[in-house]
Amino acid sequence: MGSDSSDLFDSLCLVGFMGSGKSTVGRLLADRLGWVFVDLDREIESVTGKSVTRMFAESGEVEFRKMEAELGLKLVGRPRTVLATGGGWGAVAGRLESLHESVCTVWLQVSPEVAVDRIRLQAPVRPLLHGASDPLWEARSLLAIRAPQYEAARFHVDTSGREVTEVVSAVLKHMRSGHRTRPS
Ligand code: S3P
């Protein structure tokens, strides 16, 4: 634990589409770095006392986005912390550019096909895709809109067809090198 720590960054922020593995990869990265892991969706759930699905249904997406924005900005950049954001957080124009340079932002890339495939196997906790009549069409459209914003992340790591451990290694390598590279 802690042997992979980076001198260049003291905080890590994972962004990307649903099903890109932000939480799974983030947890493992925190373990490897000896840092704290924080999952934005879980924090929202703990503050509101409602699941993300229930929030969407009862309070609406606008209310969810407000809470997501506020809490995310409060949590991002905490020292020695890996923050796994929800798919919408890093998709806001200008948000990633506004973060301090000590925050290592990483876009975990996934194709709409792989994202929908991964999500299909999981519990129905993503109202945007699980509620859609054509999840693949929805994923393609959403990703097309969001990609230009995710693009602002310092590093881009493709996750499609890769094991979690490979993705973790790629992120750590970028963190140590500090050079902006895309995609890996
Ligand atoms: C969302 C992604 C979800 C969750 C909510 C909305 C999105 O998080 O925040 O369902 O807008 O892409 P994950 O990216 O962790 O699935």
Side-chain angles (χ1 to χ4, degrees):
M1 276 233 314
S3 56
D4 289 299
S5 134
S6 157
D7 292 336
L8 296 159
F9 306 102
D10 76 341
S11 182
L12 183 57
C13 173
L14 301 177
V15 301
F17 203 63
M18 292 169 270
S20 59
K22 300 178 294 291
S23 303
T24 311
V25 168
R27 218 170 271 118
L28 204 54
L29 273 165
D31 196 42
R32 291 281 297 272
L33 291 160
W35 291 4
V36 173
F37 173 71
V38 177
D39 187 302
L40 181 52
D41 278 345
R42 301 295 82 77
E43 292 297 317
I44 295 171
E45 291 180 335
S46 134
V47 167
T48 61
K50 290 180 186 177
S51 69
V52 169
T53 307
R54 214 176 122 205
M55 253 202 111
F56 264 74
E58 290 178 5
S59 316
E61 185 173 348
V62 173
E63 204 47 46
F64 173 80
R65 295 298 174 203
K66 227 173 100 191
M67 172 67 73
E68 179 184 50
E70 271 172 29
L71 211 49
L73 289 171
K74 218 157 112 184
L75 295 169
V76 72
R78 288 201 174 170
R80 299 173 65 80
T81 300
V82 178
L83 175 67
T85 62
W89 193 83
V92 173
R95 180 160 288 162
L96 300 185
E97 292 91 330
S98 75
L99 301 179
H100 192 272
E101 59 179 26
S102 63
V103 182
C104 181
T105 49
V106 179
W107 175 19
L108 295 185
Q109 298 173 301
V110 66
S111 69
E113 290 76 12
V114 171
V116 167
D117 230 48
R118 284 181 185 162
I119 285 163
R120 196 178 290 135
L121 303 172
Q122 297 169 9
V125 294
R126 293 178 177 92
L128 289 183
L129 291 186
H130 284 114
S133 55
D134 185 345
L136 184 54
W137 184 88
E138 191 63 31
R140 282 185 180 138
S141 322
L142 257 183
L143 192 54
I145 294 167
R146 291 176 171 188
Q149 282 71 251
Y150 292 151
E151 179 98 17
R154 182 179 290 262
F155 303 120
H156 301 175
V157 174
D158 193 8
T159 71
S160 305
R162 271 172 139 180
E163 294 292 332
V164 173
T165 49
E166 286 178 70
V167 175
V168 167
S169 300
V171 173
L172 291 172
K173 205 170 139 196
H174 283 318
M175 281 182 83
R176 276 189 230 107
S177 83
H179 300 302
R180 186 183 270 264
T181 49
R182 57 174 64 157
S184 84

